[in-house]
Amino acid sequence: MKEYKYIINGTEYQVTIGDIVENIANVTVNGEDYKVEMEKEPEPEKKKVVVKTGGAAAQAAPAAAAAPAATSGSVNTSNALKAPLPGVIIDVKVAVGDTVAAGDTVVVLEAMKMANNLDAEKGGKVTAVLVKVGDSVMEDTPLVVIE
């Protein structure tokens, strides 16, 4: 129990904070009991870090959970658009099955506090999206496969 004394606009308030269960606090103000609902604390956002470990299958493995069509056995990352520098994915503008033309923006990568539009190098059909918004990527990490 914590006790506080407040004076608001010349009026004195004796406040006692009792038990707190989840986000409901039992509060007594000048002898009157109140149940006070507090705002729940937001859960911290967890960012997934993708580490370049070597082979193409090893790089595609973390993205397999994010994109059901992208499994390490079926993705040919030799046709993938790759990250030109390390950064964080802030937008993915395509989905598996979309048709893109050369020059279409497919991913937006934030690097060095700048948003960089990554454009398709060739036209074709998107066969795999290997990243999602919020992913941290290293240079040469495959992002989107266009065939």
Side-chain angles (χ1 to χ4, degrees):
M1 271 178 143
K2 292 188 178 184
E3 295 183 13
Y4 300 93
K5 182 178 176 183
Y6 296 104
I7 298 175
I8 302 173
N9 293 332
T11 305
E12 185 176 303
Y13 296 92
Q14 297 286 1
V15 179
T16 304
I17 300 175
D19 296 331
I20 300 174
V21 179
E22 291 186 24
N23 66 326
I24 305 292
N26 292 314
V27 178
T28 304
V29 179
N30 292 345
E32 289 190 46
D33 292 330
Y34 297 94
K35 288 196 182 292
V36 177
E37 183 176 356
M38 299 180 295
E39 183 177 330
K40 291 183 181 181
E41 289 187 34
E43 293 183 24
E45 186 176 317
K46 295 180 183 177
K47 293 193 176 188
K48 186 177 183 182
V49 177
V50 178
V51 179
K52 184 176 177 182
T53 57
Q59 290 176 358
T71 59
S72 58
S74 67
V75 175
N76 178 6
T77 57
S78 64
N79 292 329
L81 172 67
K82 296 181 180 174
L85 65 167
V88 177
I89 304 299
I90 60 173
D91 194 9
V92 178
K93 299 200 175 271
V94 295
V96 174
D98 288 355
T99 301
V100 296
D104 288 352
T105 300
V106 293
V107 175
V108 180
L109 175 74
E110 182 181 283
M112 298 183 289
K113 298 184 180 181
M114 291 180 57
N116 299 281
N117 292 336
L118 303 183
D119 300 334
E121 296 167 352
K122 63 179 182 172
K125 184 176 182 179
V126 176
T127 58
V129 177
L130 305 172
V131 292
K132 64 183 183 315
V133 173
D135 283 354
S136 293
V137 297
M138 299 302 290
E139 185 176 353
D140 292 329
T141 299
L143 306 174
V144 177
V145 178
I146 302 170
E147 294 183 356

